Amino acid sequence: MNQVSLDQLLTEQSNPATEHIDSLSTEEMLRVINDEDRRVAEAVDQELRHIAMAVDAIVERLRAGGRLFYIGAGTSGR
C-alpha cells in the first residue's frame, strides 16, 4: 500500500488567500470566505464524473448489505 504523508496533502496546507484574514474588515473577510467557497464548487464540478462513480459503488455495496461510515471533524467532517 502507498503511504501518504499528511503534510503533503493539499488539504493540509496553509491557504495563502486566507493568511491575513484576521486583519481584514468584516466585509473583506466575508468576501474572501465567499471567494474560497466558490472555488470549492468549481473543484467539485471538475470531479463530478469520479464522484458519481464513487456514489454508484457505494450504493451497490449498501444494497448488498454493506455499511458506510462517515469520519471527520469540524467543517471537513460535514
Side-chain angles (χ1 to χ4, degrees):
M1 181 187 310
N2 293 336
Q3 292 289 326
V4 176
S5 178
L6 294 180
D7 63 344
Q8 298 301 311
L9 294 175
L10 182 60
T11 56
E12 303 306 314
Q13 304 301 308
S14 295
N15 182 346
T18 60
E19 187 173 317
H20 300 291
I21 199 167
D22 59 323
S23 64
L24 301 176
S25 70
T26 302
E27 185 173 345
E28 291 169 324
M29 182 185 307
L30 293 172
R31 188 161 310 284
V32 167
I33 292 169
N34 192 44
D35 288 346
E36 292 304 298
D37 285 347
R38 189 176 296 109
R39 292 183 61 197
V40 171
E42 292 167 359
V44 169
D45 185 59
Q46 296 297 311
E47 294 299 323
L48 282 177
R49 184 173 65 89
H50 295 113
I51 295 168
M53 290 170 54
V55 170
D56 289 343
I58 292 166
V59 168
E60 181 180 323
R61 283 158 184 81
L62 288 172
R63 287 184 175 152
R67 298 185 294 170
L68 175 64
F69 294 89
Y70 292 93
I71 301 171
T75 303
S76 62
R78 286 191 292 197

